[in-house]
Amino acid sequence: MFGYRVPAPDEAMLISGGRRGLKGAPFRVVTGHGKFVLPVFRKVRFLTLAMREAEVVEKCVTRQGIVLTVRAVIAFKVGNDDESIVNAGQRFLSEQEQMSVLTGRIFSGHLRAIIGSMTVEEIVTERQKLATEVLETSKTEMGKIGLIVDSLQIQSIDDGDTGYIEAMSAPHKAAIQRQAKIAEAQATQASVEAQQEAARNQAEFERQTAIVQAEYKAEVDRAQAKSAQAGPLAQAHAQREVLAAQTELAERAAELRQQELVAEVVKPAEAEAERIKLVALAEAERMKIQAEAAASHGRVALDQLLIDQLPQIVKEAAAGLSRANVNVLNGADGLGEVAAGLVSQGLTILDTVKQNLGKPDAAGDAMSAPAPRRAGQDDGPVPLS
């Protein structure tokens, strides 16, 4: 619409002509909205509210008399309130670029004043304190011209060729270098230890791997050896069982043969030995009786007859015993018992005959008895009863 003006968001519209503005200012301030302006009768100008900067490079002398070249950057702008806009508009509306020049000059003066009250060590180590003091001292003066400072940054501090700052930093550099060397040595040591630990771990891993591989190989070898020995072991076991069976069979055959030898050789020999023994006993008994008869001078003929008949009786009994199949349970002792029984029986018969000889009939019978046999005469067996 003709005559309607709207300022940009970072501008202030100053309308001159007509009634005056705040505190008798020659213009009215409009921000954030439009305004109808009569042409010809009113005049409109715009004042920037955007952020601006000023760079300051100033040689300053410290309290110690050391010359320092200080480089700083100031960020500033026109205040947003109407009073600041009026103050800035009255001073910079026609030449707004002069705001940076004037701000730099103002801060240069305050910077020299504040640095003159500080030492180099304070300036170097407390830059933020320096910036804060410069801002505080310049705030009132900057407010009078409608400007506000958002920030002040000290970019560099240089002592030229004096070498003061470098000398001041030498101990710190040495300490830093020493700490750097210590840190480097520690890092190297840690690296070496880490490498050694890694080498130990690798060696331990290889050792464990070798042990496991050896155990696996030993197990495989044992399995293979066991498998290879299974056939020969089974064959040897079978042969051992065959030999055991053959040994048992041979032992049984030997026992059977021993029993056969006992039945065929030992028993007949023992029986023959007992027979010879019985004959000898009978002969001894005959000699005894003969001696007793000779001593008694009585019934000589009868005793002689009985004496001659007794060996024949025992001999016949022994001959019958040798031809008989007699089972003697207790070996030679059993045969001795049988022979002793026969001799005892023969002696008992002899005693009975002797007792009967005392009777008359017996004497007659004895007289009618046959004459004694001569040696070598074989009349056959004599009845025992």
Side-chain angles (χ1 to χ4, degrees), residues 15-276:
I15 303 173
S16 60
R19 61 185 178 88
R20 289 183 174 270
L22 181 65
K23 294 181 181 183
F27 49 80
R28 287 177 294 166
V29 179
V30 178
T31 57
H33 60 84
K35 191 77 174 177
F36 184 76
V37 181
L38 291 175
V40 180
F41 299 99
R42 304 286 188 272
K43 188 172 183 177
V44 177
R45 300 288 298 274
F46 294 93
L47 178 66
T48 180
L49 302 180
M51 181 68 65
R52 304 175 72 90
E53 69 176 25
E55 184 176 358
V56 176
V57 179
E58 190 68 25
K59 289 185 179 294
C60 307
V61 180
T62 67
R63 189 176 64 186
Q64 300 158 309
I66 306 299
V67 179
L68 300 178
T69 300
V70 180
R71 183 183 299 273
V73 176
I74 303 101
F76 68 96
K77 65 184 290 296
V78 176
N80 292 328
D81 58 289
D82 291 346
E83 183 178 0
S84 297
I85 294 173
V86 170
N87 291 336
Q90 289 178 341
R91 292 170 175 81
F92 305 111
L93 184 59
S94 298
E95 297 181 1
Q96 297 186 31
E97 296 296 330
Q98 290 298 316
M99 286 189 290
S100 298
V101 178
L102 182 59
T103 298
R105 291 175 180 175
I106 293 172
F107 271 87
S108 294
H110 290 289
L111 192 62
R112 285 194 301 270
I114 294 173
I115 287 177
S117 65
M118 299 175 66
T119 64
V120 178
E121 289 79 5
E122 291 174 343
I123 294 169
V124 173
T125 59
E126 300 180 6
R127 290 190 181 188
Q128 188 59 39
K129 178 183 177 181
L130 173 63
T132 302
E133 290 184 3
V134 172
L135 286 174
E136 290 296 329
T137 56
S138 63
K139 183 183 294 185
T140 302
E141 190 174 355
M142 293 290 288
K144 290 179 180 180
I145 60 177
L147 301 178
I148 58 175
V149 179
D150 285 343
S151 66
L152 171 63
Q153 296 293 330
I154 305 298
Q155 289 185 328
S156 64
I157 299 173
D158 186 13
D159 62 352
D161 296 332
T162 60
Y164 188 90
I165 296 176
E166 184 177 359
M168 184 181 64
S169 64
H172 300 285
K173 287 182 179 179
I176 291 173
Q177 290 176 356
R178 183 171 60 254
Q179 293 296 330
K181 291 180 179 179
I182 293 173
E184 183 179 1
Q186 291 176 348
T188 302
Q189 181 179 359
S191 176
V192 172
E193 291 177 354
Q195 291 177 357
Q196 292 176 351
E197 182 66 20
R200 285 194 296 269
N201 293 335
Q202 180 65 25
E204 179 64 19
F205 175 77
E206 292 177 356
R207 187 181 72 85
Q208 293 292 339
T209 303
I211 291 173
V212 172
Q213 290 177 350
E215 291 178 351
Y216 287 162
K217 186 177 183 302
E219 185 176 355
V220 171
D221 292 342
R222 285 195 299 270
Q224 291 178 351
K226 184 176 181 181
S227 176
Q229 293 175 356
L233 286 176
Q235 184 177 2
H237 182 70
Q239 291 178 353
R240 186 166 58 252
E241 291 183 351
V242 171
L243 290 175
Q246 291 177 351
T247 302
E248 183 179 0
L249 182 60
E251 290 177 354
R252 292 183 179 180
E255 291 178 358
L256 180 59
R257 180 57 183 165
Q258 183 178 6
Q259 293 176 1
E260 291 177 353
L261 290 175
V262 169
E264 294 175 358
V265 178
V266 176
K267 288 184 178 180
E270 289 178 352
E272 180 64 20
E274 288 300 326
R275 187 187 67 79
I276 295 172

Side-chain angles (χ1 to χ4, degrees), residues 305-321:
L305 176 63
L306 292 176
I307 290 170
D308 293 338
Q309 290 294 326
L310 182 58
Q312 185 64 29
I313 295 171
V314 175
K315 182 178 180 181
E316 294 297 332
L321 181 62

